[in-house]
Amino acid sequence: MKNLNNGIIINNIKTSMEMENQFLNDRDVRVLNDFANNKITMEDAISNFKADAISAFKKMEF
Protein backbone atom coordinates (compact mmCIF):
# COMPACT_ATOMS: atom_id res chain seq x y z
CA MET A 1 0.00 0.00 0.00
CA LYS A 2 2.89 2.37 0.80
CA ASN A 3 4.34 2.09 -2.74
CA LEU A 4 0.89 2.79 -4.22
CA ASN A 5 0.55 5.91 -2.07
CA ASN A 6 4.08 6.99 -3.01
CA GLY A 7 3.21 6.58 -6.68
CA ILE A 8 0.08 8.69 -6.28
CA ILE A 9 1.98 11.42 -4.45
CA ILE A 10 4.77 11.48 -7.05
CA ASN A 11 2.20 11.57 -9.85
CA ASN A 12 0.51 14.53 -8.13
CA ILE A 13 3.86 16.31 -7.90
CA LYS A 14 4.52 15.65 -11.60
CA THR A 15 1.07 16.95 -12.56
CA SER A 16 1.43 20.07 -10.44
CA MET A 17 4.85 20.81 -11.89
CA GLU A 18 3.65 20.25 -15.46
CA MET A 19 0.98 22.88 -14.88
CA GLU A 20 3.87 25.30 -14.26
CA ASN A 21 5.68 24.04 -17.40
CA GLN A 22 8.25 22.17 -15.27
CA PHE A 23 8.94 18.49 -15.82
CA LEU A 24 10.45 15.69 -13.75
CA ASN A 25 12.90 13.41 -15.48
CA ASP A 26 13.45 9.75 -14.61
CA ARG A 27 16.29 10.60 -12.22
CA ASP A 28 14.04 13.06 -10.36
CA VAL A 29 11.38 10.37 -9.95
CA ARG A 30 13.99 7.89 -8.67
CA VAL A 31 15.19 10.42 -6.07
CA LEU A 32 11.61 11.06 -4.95
CA ASN A 33 10.97 7.32 -4.72
CA ASP A 34 14.16 6.77 -2.73
CA PHE A 35 13.16 9.53 -0.33
CA ALA A 36 9.59 8.22 -0.02
CA ASN A 37 10.94 4.74 0.72
CA ASN A 38 13.39 6.07 3.35
CA LYS A 39 16.42 5.05 1.29
CA ILE A 40 17.80 8.59 1.41
CA THR A 41 17.28 11.57 3.71
CA MET A 42 15.58 14.83 2.78
CA GLU A 43 19.00 16.47 2.79
CA ASP A 44 20.28 13.86 0.31
CA ALA A 45 17.27 14.43 -1.95
CA ILE A 46 17.74 18.21 -1.84
CA SER A 47 21.45 17.80 -2.57
CA ASN A 48 20.63 15.66 -5.61
CA PHE A 49 18.17 18.20 -6.98
CA LYS A 50 20.53 21.10 -6.22
CA ALA A 51 23.45 19.39 -7.99
CA ASP A 52 21.26 18.74 -11.05
CA ALA A 53 20.08 22.35 -11.11
CA ILE A 54 23.63 23.69 -10.88
CA SER A 55 24.80 21.31 -13.61
CA ALA A 56 21.94 22.36 -15.91
CA PHE A 57 22.63 26.04 -15.22
CA LYS A 58 26.30 25.65 -16.10
CA LYS A 59 25.33 24.12 -19.47
CA MET A 60 23.25 27.17 -20.38
CA GLU A 61 24.68 29.65 -22.83
CA PHE A 62 24.08 33.35 -22.40
Side-chain angles (χ1 to χ4, degrees), residues 25-60:
N25 60 35
D26 291 339
R27 186 179 186 305
D28 298 332
V29 173
R30 282 193 302 274
V31 170
L32 289 171
N33 272 316
D34 286 348
F35 172 69
N37 291 316
N38 295 316
K39 292 181 181 178
I40 61 173
T41 65
M42 183 182 299
E43 290 80 15
D44 292 334
I46 291 169
S47 292
N48 276 300
F49 292 129
K50 184 177 178 181
D52 287 350
I54 291 170
S55 176
F57 183 76
K58 287 180 179 179
K59 292 178 185 176
M60 294 176 73

Side-chain angles (χ1 to χ4, degrees), residues 2-30:
K2 182 178 179 182
N3 286 336
L4 176 61
N5 287 339
N6 291 349
I8 291 170
I9 292 168
I10 291 170
N11 191 51
N12 288 343
I13 292 169
K14 287 175 69 173
T15 301
S16 297
M17 289 182 68
E18 288 169 2
M19 292 175 70
E20 298 294 328
N21 204 30
Q22 301 293 316
F23 303 92
L24 295 177
N25 60 35
D26 291 339
R27 186 179 186 305
D28 298 332
V29 173
R30 282 193 302 274

